Amino acid sequence: MRNTTISIVAGQAPQISRPRVTDLEFGQIIDYWTDRISRVLPDRPDLIVLPEMFDRPVVSAHPKAEQLPQEAKAEFAYTKGTRIRDALAEIALDHRTHVTYPSYRIAEDGTLRNSIEFLGRDGDVGAVYDKIVPTPNERAGMGVQPGEGVLAADLDFGRVSAAICFDLNFEPVRAAVARVQPELIVFPSAYHGGLMQNYWALSCRSYFVSCVNPPNRSAIIDPTGHEVASTSPYDWLLTRTVNLDYALAHLDRHREKLLHLKAQYGREVMIEDPGLVGMVLVSSQSDEVSAVDMLREFEIQELDGYFAESTAHLEHSTLNVLPAGGAS
């Protein structure tokens, strides 16, 4: 059993009165997000997830708030320094939690990145992911440079990977994330992504936590692609505990074995069937036997092994396009 408590802290962007961010506005931004985060701290989360560019304010205007002008965004990116990250690091240290910092980052080579920094329980930066596919506007308008690889960070609760906003659209990015076998994918974003969130969770065999700018919902999705919980439109906050000691198995030729597994371990195992996809999520509630070991004990093949066996005949084959009348 590896229960991990995750808190999503989304919210409207802080508003400032003029299109320039000075020390005064930076203080307002820090106060706003410190207050938002304080509302989930009683849950004692292991990980606090914030949305993409959460710290970039909007300018108060009528009839609605407006984005910072392009030149003001660039100024913000290059002048904010570490002050906002330092405020989050203090929270991480004081409350012994991990906190994500998804924002602009000046890399060591001086280039601008759209990044997510993972702050550890000691307040230090434990891992960094740079958005692999910035939008054309980010690249042309801001000079944001693309990341060069996917994240595989072994944190104290499990293996974590990440994607940022536009990344979700691209199969090469998803496939590379799947290859590092994450247990949790963190997705800060300005857009929701729709069914792609569920697809990434299912195809990467990973829990998926999205933190998306309102009015979109943020959610936690399990490795079968099933949404576990999502934020409400009232406060955009969510805390849930998930068990990262899990494995996936197909129902085919395993139904009886799964019954025997449940009979043997009782409350020490959860077997969840999301329906429609022919697989189950097996989670160990035991401190002594992992979910993978439970499957091995009952000779239950893990999902990817079952699929590999099913498609072995395709390994050295090329699928042809058949004529409309069928095979000749």
Side-chain angles (χ1 to χ4, degrees):
M1 178 172 62
R2 282 190 286 127
N3 283 343
T4 302
T5 300
I6 301 167
S7 288
I8 294 171
V9 181
Q12 299 285 5
Q15 294 192 20
I16 57 176
S17 59
R18 55 181 181 168
R20 190 166 179 222
V21 186
T22 66
D23 288 344
L24 174 64
E25 285 80 17
F26 278 118
Q28 293 171 346
I29 293 166
I30 290 170
D31 289 345
Y32 173 81
W33 284 106
T34 298
D35 176 68
R36 296 286 298 158
I37 293 170
S38 72
R39 305 178 194 189
V40 302
L41 292 175
D43 293 317
R44 299 173 62 189
D46 296 292
L47 174 66
I48 297 171
V49 181
L50 295 161
E52 181 188 24
M53 298 297 167
F54 74 101
D55 56 352
R56 191 176 68 193
V58 295
V59 182
S60 299
H62 295 289
K64 64 179 182 179
E66 298 177 348
Q67 292 286 330
L68 287 173
Q70 196 70 25
E71 63 274 12
K73 289 181 181 179
E75 182 183 25
F76 170 78
Y78 282 98
T79 61
K80 68 188 179 76
T82 65
R83 67 187 90 190
I84 298 172
R85 189 183 73 187
D86 291 344
L88 296 180
E90 186 175 340
I91 293 171
L93 179 61
D94 289 347
H95 296 274
R96 304 299 296 167
T97 185
H98 297 264
V99 182
T100 66
Y101 178 46
S103 187
Y104 295 122
R105 180 179 74 90
I106 309 300
E108 291 183 2
D109 62 3
T111 58
L112 182 63
R113 308 298 178 105
N114 182 343
S115 304
I116 175 171
E117 298 177 76
F118 287 81
L119 307 177
R121 299 183 198 270
D122 57 1
D124 292 339
V125 177
V128 179
Y129 169 73
D130 296 326
K131 187 177 185 178
I132 292 175
V133 191
T135 66
N137 283 343
E138 283 183 294
R139 298 195 69 176
M142 291 285 296
V144 174
Q145 296 301 301
E148 299 171 354
V150 299
L151 178 68
D154 291 313
L155 304 183
D156 59 19
F157 54 79
R159 171 161 283 204
V160 174
S161 193
I164 298 174
C165 198
F166 203 45
D167 284 336
L168 205 67
N169 293 288
F170 301 100
E171 176 58 21
V173 181
R174 187 213 60 80
V177 169
R179 284 194 294 270
V180 304
Q181 299 182 314
E183 295 167 319
L184 179 68
I185 299 170
V186 175
F187 177 63
S189 186
Y191 98 119
H192 187 274
L195 59 82
M196 293 301 290
Q197 289 194 23
N198 308 77
Y199 175 66
W200 271 57
L202 173 62
S203 62
C204 295
R205 318 293 188 235
S206 175
Y207 278 93
F208 187 101
V209 53
S210 64
C211 191
V212 187
N213 293 334
N216 289 307
R217 297 183 303 116
S218 302
I220 297 173
I221 300 168
D222 76 19
T224 69
H226 172 72
E227 186 177 284
V228 175
S230 65
T231 54
S232 82
Y234 298 109
D235 58 9
W236 301 299
L237 303 173
L238 174 68
T239 299
R240 284 293 184 277
T241 298
V242 300
N243 184 359
L244 298 183
D245 185 353
Y246 68 86
L248 294 169
H250 203 276
L251 289 171
D252 181 38
R253 73 188 182 195
H254 294 138
R255 293 176 186 269
E256 289 297 322
K257 293 178 179 180
L258 288 165
L259 290 174
H260 294 318
L261 168 60
K262 183 63 177 177
Q264 172 71 23
Y265 283 97
R267 290 185 177 181
E268 291 190 319
V269 65
M270 286 189 63
I271 302 175
E272 299 172 89
D273 181 356
L276 305 179
V277 289
M279 66 181 70
V280 292
L281 177 67
V282 179
S283 304
S284 172
Q285 306 293 319
S286 169
D287 292 325
E288 298 177 357
V289 185
S290 70
V292 170
D293 286 339
M294 288 178 178
L295 294 191
R296 289 173 180 164
E297 181 180 347
F298 288 87
E299 298 182 338
I300 298 171
Q301 195 173 24
E302 288 191 64
L303 183 68
D304 284 335
Y306 174 83
F307 282 165
E309 179 185 343
S310 302
T311 58
H313 64 288
L314 300 176
E315 185 175 352
H316 302 293
S317 301
T318 300
L319 295 178
N320 298 317
V321 178
L322 298 176
S328 57

